[in-house]
Amino acid sequence: MRIVCPFCGERELGEFTYLGDAKSARPAAGASEDEVFDYVYMRDNVAGPMSEYWYHGGGCRAWLKVARNTLTHEISSVEPAAGVGAKQAAR
Amino acid sequence: MTSSQPYRLVSGGLIDRAAPLGFRFDGKSFAGFQGDTLASALIANGVKLVGRSFKYHRPRGILTAGSEEPNALVELRSGARREPNTKATTAELYDGLEAASQNRWPSLRHDLMAVNQLFAPIFVAGFYYKTFMWPARFWEAVYEPAIRRAAGLGRAAGVADPDHYDKAWAHCDVLIAGSGPAGLAAALAAGRGGARVILCEEDFALGGRLLADGGMIDGAPAAEWITRTLAELAALPDVRIMTRTTLFGVYDGGTYGALERVNDHLLSPPEHQVRQRLWRIVAKRCVVAAGAIERPIVFAGNDTPGVMMASAMRTYVARYAVTPAKRIALFTNNEDGWRTVETALGAGLQIAAVIDARPDVSAERRALAAKAGFAVLNGSVSGVEGGKDGVRKIAVSLTGGARAEVEADGLAVSGGWNPAVGLTSYHRGRPKWQDDIAAFVPDGAPPGMVAVGAANGAFGLGDCLRQGFAAGAAAAQSAGRSGNAGTSPTADEEAFSLTPLWHVAGKGKAFVDYQHDVTASDIELAQREGFESVEHLKRYTTLGMATDQGKTSNVAGLAIMAALSGKSIPETGTTIYRPPYVPVAIGAFAGHHRDENFHATRLTPSHHWAAEQGAVFVDTGLWKRAQWYPRAGEKDWLESVTREVKAVRSGVGFCDVSTLGKIDVHGPDAGAFLDRVYINTFSNLAVGKARYGLMLREDGIVYDDGTTSRLAEDHYFLTTTTAKAGLVMQHLEFCRQVLFPEFDVQLTSVSDQWAQFSIAGPSARELLKQVVDESEDLSNEGFPFMGAREVALHGGIRARLFRISFSGEMAFEISVPARYGDALVRNLMLAGKPFGVTPYGTEALGVMRIEKGHVAGPELNGTTTAADLGLGKMMSTKKDFIGRVMAGREALVAPDRQVVVGIKPVDKTRRLRSGAHIIPKGETPGPDNDQGYVTSVCFSPVLDQWIGLGLVERGRERIGEIVHAHDPLRGEDYDVELCSPVFYDPDGGRQRG
């Protein structure tokens, strides 16, 4: 498999580490135990298009949001995670 | 030399008669020529019997002339280079080649295991499952060893492979598999179009079937066209042709696996060269011109030596100028088989008869038969008379019911051709059935791939050229190359007529899968017993599961199953195709990553100095760390380690701790960010101070620990454990980039940039003064416990100094740029002489941390909470942090959890062992009353006895209780006392002093 890193270009699978589901967001502080439980443990086992986190540890160390079809391994988009770049949200 | 090769034709063939080669088979000397394979050279010498079959030990000969060979498997080479199950049909002959037949004892001609044939009824499909079910304990002791002796293939060398293997990457626009007419035409078109082309050919010669079948291309003989085409391809700047290279797998994203047999054709690889090279080729487009495989017809005795695929027979005659038989019969169900007759007659060989299953043999063929004086029989071969010396007589069932006999010493068989659909099907693609050729053809292909020519079911030469050329031109274009491909080479069209025929009924064993000894009756049995699905058929009979992966047998097997179950062949379907297309040695996958190069090795900055001191090293992940420094006269490790500990506790010692992960955290939000990743607070840490921090996973379990210092308002220096250095970096990047993108913070891994040493002991400050600039205040007031700041060393080198202690003594950790690590350690030794400075290794480090009750890897084991470690109070209740909510789950805060506690044997002379289970005193050990276990142990020089840490149920409430240590692994049982985990200096006066 090959992933087009938005910073480094097309690179081979071995440079990346898989994390998993990129759909669920970490609950805000004060969330209930059930909400956090769902975030930590409940995962869809998707057969088809899925949004996933991949880490380009063998390159620029960016966390990437990869849209991948788990049946065909076809990758339709790769985006950097929100906090990758130097640009930061206003505090 | 030809005189010694009685079956060598006097002229012709693509062999170099000026280059004779000597070789040995089963200890006997033979001769062949450059350009031979082992198979062709054996045929030249009249060797028909080359092996014994897997189960029945039937005598077997050479069936094919290519990588689909199921029979002629040999042990090639000797000693450490012995390579079992090597196909004689693809092994290139070289001078000095040694090969031995397999699966026979005591000899190939007199194989005692051939008695297995008498027991054939018990060796039928599924016999393992039925026969050896009971008693169960007999399986390992009796059945398996016996079966392994009797059934099987070649023997592995049993010693390390002396050769080197390489791995390489290649990138191209157009990758082409196969150099037959379709492949060469594709290369021509793609190359002319300006594409970067790689063409892989399994054979050592280029041309595919053209090498044996010839033909006319663009009005010239095929051989001339090949020469011309290769010259043109060689002149193109970006066309690379790789012979002896098999494309064996198709992976995602246009990645292909190829094995290049760089030096398999030599006795041994030349110095500094590899035997094989594993290629990963990334291609925008791939043209599969892998050809087709001729398929046998299943009839009784079809495995007799001398029965050979028709195309293989003419390959041996035309390409290698050898005669597999003097008097050849042909059994065919299609027009293509007749080419063998033409080739044989052209070489002056005798044709005994042609048995053609088709009712409508053309007048042209009949005229040829009449002219050459052989009969054309309309019918099928129903049996073969012969044995280990080859075919003698062939029984024929004529259409209409009559019988006939043909005397011949060779039988060429053609049941039609199966396109090589492996590469196109490796992404779980299922090929589709094509009626006119009665074969499966690719039905689509992985993205970017297209099949052409015979691999696509187009068997005519004209079709192959046209399809290959068109695909090559289109591939170049879609890869963005716009050169002019010119015009396609052309050849006359050829008709392909075939009447499907899979199995001829008859008496005697009729083999479907030669390599695994699967017969037609095994398939019948499988069908009777309900194993009708092809996937069941495969696993029950082992059809197609041998090293040849059923290249000659799968389609025939499922055709027979289709007939038995009353379904069509396409309804019956195929099994899933999986790479590799041919067996690939593990050595090739490993490449240079073996022995000491199995993984990268990381050396600490003081490594070379430590090696000079005679340090004993231990592997810690990729690192080599000094474990202890033995001195002359010390009788074992324990004596050295005890000395090192005592030296530190009474004077001063130092230890390289550079392997800790080190991360610089910069930015205005650095403190707020660390508050989120640690359970305790770092935003309120004063500049110039260090603090111990603990991280959880989001599920509430402890992830990692370490000391983090604040060097400036917006700059923290974070350390991790050695084991988790990379993972913590990845985790922090995830937190920064994904979870908390609102923070203005940057992370930099500086693990390799800093050499870090712990300097510990009552004299630590005095030693440090010898290397730190006089202007720096190191007094307890000026630089108290948990201080952290930059200092200047003598000579002006800037260092980071931390007043932290893992040993419990007054201690400092000093970081210098990694390039000064070696100099610093040598300086410490020099300057420390008056103080008796002692280098210590990871063992002494471990002893001192256990004496102090500090937790480490064995306690941070992925199941413990902060409270389990006695660090529950560190958890802030005023902020959000990773793992906060889940850490509060009922089971993680249950009062009966196993928590860290100190453990010491009641008998002070007894050695405590980690792994021993803790059982309440007086109870019989068992899973129900198992209350935990010993995690870390050491011999404590301070207490003069073995001590340890353990995870014990309610441990902290049970201090002073005597419990039982049960160690079934070592057969030990003894009483231990639960105690405080801090064995040494409990109030911490020494480290603060």
Side-chain angles (χ1 to χ4, degrees):
Chain A
M1 217 167 85
R2 298 175 71 77
I3 296 175
V4 181
C5 172
F7 304 106
C8 309
E10 185 182 310
R11 297 297 182 92
E12 194 258 335
L13 178 66
E15 294 189 6
F16 299 87
T17 308
Y18 178 74
L19 183 78
D21 192 3
K23 222 171 53 193
S24 52
R26 185 172 188 270
S32 70
E33 190 180 308
D34 284 351
E35 282 174 81
V36 180
F37 182 90
D38 284 355
Y39 166 69
V40 172
Y41 291 107
M42 301 309 280
R43 293 277 182 277
D44 290 335
N45 188 12
V46 179
M50 183 174 177
S51 179
E52 302 169 332
Y53 282 123
W54 289 78
Y55 177 59
H56 195 191
C60 60
R61 293 211 312 262
W63 275 94
L64 306 172
K65 228 175 184 173
V66 175
R68 183 178 70 107
N69 187 323
T70 60
L71 293 175
T72 62
H73 297 183
E74 202 179 341
I75 291 171
S76 51
S77 78
V78 183
E79 289 169 37
V84 162
K87 180 175 69 74
Q88 298 296 334
R91 284 175 288 136
Chain B
M1 207 102 183
T2 310
S3 61
S4 68
Q5 299 176 43
Y7 291 81
R8 179 78 70 181
L9 294 165
V10 291
S11 66
L14 302 173
I15 46 163
D16 184 356
R17 289 169 200 264
L21 307 171
F23 72 102
R24 291 166 76 80
F25 178 66
D26 276 349
K28 246 180 107 174
S29 294
F30 296 104
F33 292 119
Q34 190 76 48
D36 264 325
T37 61
L38 173 59
S40 68
L42 287 170
I43 291 170
N45 289 281
V47 178
K48 286 193 167 174
L49 173 65
V50 295
R52 290 278 176 170
S53 74
F54 182 67
K55 271 199 299 198
Y56 302 124
H57 291 249
R58 306 252 303 187
R60 291 284 167 84
I62 294 160
L63 185 72
T64 75
S67 65
E68 69 271 29
E69 176 66 30
N71 266 355
L73 307 181
V74 299
E75 289 172 354
L76 192 65
R77 303 187 165 88
S78 58
R81 289 198 166 93
R82 188 171 71 203
E83 199 183 314
N85 311 332
T86 306
K87 298 171 206 103
T89 51
T90 57
E92 260 179 275
L93 197 68
Y94 53 82
D95 200 41
L97 180 146
E98 271 183 83
S101 56
Q102 305 184 155
N103 203 27
R104 80 289 186 273
W105 187 84
S107 76
L108 184 55
R109 292 192 63 81
H110 303 285
D111 177 12
L112 291 180
M113 286 296 183
V115 297
N116 276 9
Q117 292 184 64
L118 302 178
F119 304 122
I122 70 161
F123 283 122
V124 295
F127 83 105
Y128 288 94
Y129 313 121
K130 294 170 180 166
T131 315
F132 302 106
M133 283 299 289
W134 185 91
R137 67 174 186 283
F138 266 43
W139 179 254
E140 270 183 34
V142 180
Y143 298 142
E144 190 178 325
I147 291 167
R148 283 202 186 282
R149 258 199 310 280
L153 295 167
R155 302 160 301 154
V159 286
D161 188 335
D163 293 325
H164 293 279
Y165 296 80
D166 199 7
K167 284 194 279 193
W169 283 92
H171 298 256
C172 64
D173 294 324
V174 183
L175 174 65
I176 299 165
S179 73
L184 287 180
L188 209 50
R192 284 177 186 167
R196 294 169 66 198
V197 177
I198 294 177
L199 184 149
C200 296
E201 169 55 58
E202 181 171 50
D203 205 324
F204 54 92
L206 295 159
R209 284 304 307 166
L210 293 176
L211 296 174
D213 289 353
M216 299 291 283
I217 300 174
D218 287 345
E224 274 179 35
W225 179 77
I226 293 175
T227 308
R228 209 166 57 228
T229 301
L230 293 180
E232 184 177 344
L233 291 174
L236 289 168
D238 273 329
V239 176
R240 175 174 190 169
I241 294 184
M242 299 171 68
T243 54
R244 302 183 174 107
T245 304
T246 307
L247 208 62
F248 65 75
V250 182
Y251 305 94
D252 293 307
T255 308
Y256 300 83
L259 181 75
E260 183 185 8
R261 290 173 299 279
V262 185
N263 281 306
D264 275 2
H265 60 295
L266 301 175
L267 185 59
S268 61
E271 205 181 352
H272 306 307
Q273 284 198 30
V274 297
R275 171 173 294 287
Q276 297 178 344
R277 186 176 289 123
L278 186 88
W279 286 93
R280 278 174 287 182
I281 303 174
V282 181
K284 295 196 179 98
R285 292 286 179 273
C286 178
V287 178
V288 174
I293 293 169
E294 196 172 24
R295 63 197 182 209
I297 298 169
V298 180
F299 54 86
N302 62 344
D303 66 330
T304 311
V307 177
M308 188 181 274
M309 299 317 304
S311 59
M313 189 140 346
R314 59 182 186 266
T315 294
Y316 287 116
V317 173
R319 177 173 168 183
Y320 299 108
V322 296
T323 59
K326 299 282 190 205
R327 193 177 147 80
I328 298 167
L330 168 72
F331 176 25
T332 185
N333 67 344
N334 66 83
E335 192 61 20
D336 188 70
W338 279 82
R339 284 175 189 264
T340 303
V341 170
E342 290 169 1
T343 303
L345 290 174
L349 303 175
Q350 209 182 347
I351 301 296
V354 170
I355 302 108
D356 197 322
R358 296 173 302 167
D360 51 352
V361 176
S362 67
E364 198 186 329
R365 294 299 191 202
R366 290 190 184 282
L368 172 74
K371 193 176 150 213
F374 63 84
V376 179
L377 306 174
N378 182 220
S380 327
V381 171
S382 56
V384 174
E385 195 180 298
K388 59 189 174 206
D389 294 315
V391 174
R392 285 191 299 274
K393 222 180 263 178
I394 294 152
V396 180
S397 293
L398 296 170
T399 309
R403 299 193 167 273
E405 274 190 353
V406 174
E407 281 197 24
D409 62 346
L411 174 60
V413 180
S414 179
W417 289 80
N418 291 326
V421 295
L423 291 172
T424 49
S425 306
Y426 283 154
H427 282 197
R428 289 185 87 85
R430 302 274 191 170
K432 65 174 185 238
W433 184 254
Q434 191 174 313
D435 264 326
D436 61 331
I437 56 170
F440 285 102
V441 296
D443 185 11
M449 182 191 276
V450 63
V452 295
N456 190 35
F459 298 144
L461 180 53
D463 282 342
C464 287
L465 292 167
R466 201 170 44 247
Q467 285 190 4
F469 195 85
Q477 250 178 14
S478 55
R481 309 289 177 178
S482 53
N484 182 5
T487 53
S488 170
T490 57
D492 288 344
E493 297 308 319
E494 297 153 8
F496 182 81
S497 101
L498 171 140
T499 301
L501 175 65
W502 308 101
H503 178 207
V504 185
K507 277 179 75 177
K509 284 195 183 313
F511 285 88
V512 182
D513 183 332
Y514 291 73
Q515 203 185 341
H516 260 175
D517 270 356
V518 179
T519 63
S521 57
D522 287 328
I523 295 176
E524 286 158 16
L525 182 70
Q527 194 270 334
R528 274 206 307 281
E529 298 188 344
F531 297 96
E532 263 185 29
S533 135
V534 284
E535 298 289 357
H536 288 159
L537 169 68
K538 168 180 166 176
R539 283 149 185 93
Y540 195 58
T541 63
T542 75
L543 171 73
M545 288 171 72
T547 64
D548 66 343
Q549 291 285 286
K551 289 186 177 61
T552 54
S553 61
N554 281 344
V555 176
L558 66 93
I560 293 171
M561 178 56 85
L564 290 167
S565 52
K567 288 182 188 162
S568 71
I569 294 172
E571 274 169 355
T572 305
T574 61
T575 52
I576 299 271
Y577 292 81
R578 293 187 180 89
Y581 184 73
V582 292
V584 180
I586 296 294
F589 284 111
H592 292 293
H593 299 285
R594 53 179 282 184
D595 303 324
E596 72 275 17
N597 297 319
F598 182 68
H599 58 65
T601 301
R602 300 176 78 181
L603 302 182
T604 63
S606 67
H607 182 87
H608 297 297
W609 170 83
E612 287 167 25
Q613 308 305 306
V616 172
F617 293 98
V618 60
D619 288 340
T620 314
L622 303 181
W623 291 101
K624 293 221 174 283
R625 299 189 72 181
Q627 199 173 7
W628 69 85
Y629 296 81
R631 278 194 189 160
E634 288 174 345
K635 63 180 188 303
D636 59 11
W637 65 273
L638 185 57
E639 193 176 338
S640 306
V641 171
T642 301
R643 168 185 49 77
E644 289 172 14
V645 172
K646 284 178 169 164
V648 173
R649 297 247 185 260
S650 63
V652 62
F654 66 86
C655 178
D656 192 330
V657 293
S658 308
T659 59
L660 297 176
K662 306 178 208 74
I663 300 167
D664 269 336
V665 184
H666 286 278
D669 294 334
F673 174 76
L674 293 177
D675 286 349
R676 293 289 176 90
V677 299
Y678 280 120
I679 64 173
N680 47 336
T681 307
F682 277 83
S683 53
N684 62 6
L685 183 66
V687 173
K689 286 289 186 184
R691 182 171 284 168
Y692 174 74
L694 196 67
M695 289 180 196
L696 304 187
R697 310 189 305 219
E698 196 70 275
D699 65 0
I701 297 294
V702 171
Y703 186 51
D704 199 54
D705 69 346
T707 310
T708 288
S709 312
R710 192 168 196 173
L711 298 177
E713 197 59 38
D714 60 353
H715 179 196
Y716 289 78
F717 176 68
L718 182 154
T719 63
T720 76
T721 60
T722 299
K724 289 264 172 53
L727 289 169
V728 168
M729 187 67 196
Q730 178 179 333
H731 169 67
L732 293 185
E733 288 288 12
F734 184 76
C735 294
R736 181 183 78 83
Q737 297 176 30
V738 177
L739 300 183
F740 313 119
E742 65 274 20
F743 289 132
D744 188 354
V745 61
Q746 293 297 325
L747 305 169
T748 313
S749 167
V750 293
S751 296
D752 290 316
Q753 277 66 29
W754 294 97
Q756 191 155 321
F757 298 91
S758 167
I759 300 171
S763 311
R765 186 182 286 121
E766 293 313 307
L767 172 57
L768 203 56
K769 278 183 182 165
Q770 311 300 311
V771 294
V772 173
D773 194 87
E774 293 84 357
S775 64
E776 303 285 355
D777 181 3
L778 298 181
S779 69
N780 211 25
E781 297 70 39
F783 196 60
F785 184 55
M786 297 311 268
R789 70 161 197 251
E790 255 196 24
V791 295
L793 303 190
H794 287 307
I797 296 164
R798 303 298 293 176
R800 290 174 177 178
L801 192 62
F802 311 92
R803 176 91 190 269
I804 53 180
S805 175
F806 198 43
S807 58
E809 299 301 329
M810 180 175 68
F812 298 83
E813 285 191 15
I814 184 167
S815 276
V816 292
R819 63 186 180 281
Y820 296 123
D822 182 78
L824 177 61
V825 79
R826 289 176 198 276
N827 260 303
L828 287 173
M829 277 306 273
L830 214 62
K833 234 177 196 160
F835 312 102
V837 67
T838 302
Y840 64 98
T842 56
E843 285 298 325
L845 186 82
V847 170
M848 290 188 278
R849 74 99 184 163
I850 294 170
E851 286 180 332
K852 273 300 284 180
H854 288 311
V855 291
E859 291 79 34
L860 274 63
N861 63 6
T863 68
T864 46
T865 66
D868 295 345
L869 303 179
L871 303 170
K873 289 202 178 85
M874 281 173 64
M875 288 218 283
S876 168
T877 52
K878 299 192 181 77
K879 56 155 187 153
D880 182 26
F881 58 85
I882 302 272
R884 185 183 66 89
V885 176
M886 288 291 94
R889 280 182 291 168
E890 200 180 337
L892 295 196
V893 296
D896 60 348
R897 285 187 65 83
Q898 299 181 352
V899 300
V900 168
V901 67
I903 295 174
K904 52 188 179 189
V906 170
D907 173 1
K908 285 190 169 202
T909 62
R910 183 169 249 296
R911 180 169 179 179
L912 184 65
R913 297 276 202 169
S914 56
H917 286 253
I918 300 301
I919 310 289
K921 193 162 165 54
E923 292 189 21
T924 310
D928 294 340
N929 56 12
D930 189 339
Q931 295 187 325
Y933 68 103
V934 181
T935 51
S936 302
V937 299
C938 71
F939 176 78
S940 165
V942 171
L943 300 174
D944 195 29
Q945 76 165 106
W946 285 83
I947 59 168
L949 302 177
L951 287 164
V952 179
E953 213 173 284
R954 295 178 188 271
R956 280 192 291 271
E957 302 161 22
R958 297 166 65 185
I959 302 299
E961 185 180 330
I962 307 293
V963 292
H964 188 71
H966 175 60
D967 189 350
L969 197 65
R970 301 181 183 90
E972 293 177 352
D973 284 279
Y974 45 94
D975 287 345
V976 296
E977 182 191 332
L978 302 180
C979 57
S980 160
V982 187
F983 294 89
Y984 180 69
D985 190 31
D987 64 1
R990 295 181 72 89
Q991 61 195 18
R992 278 192 294 272

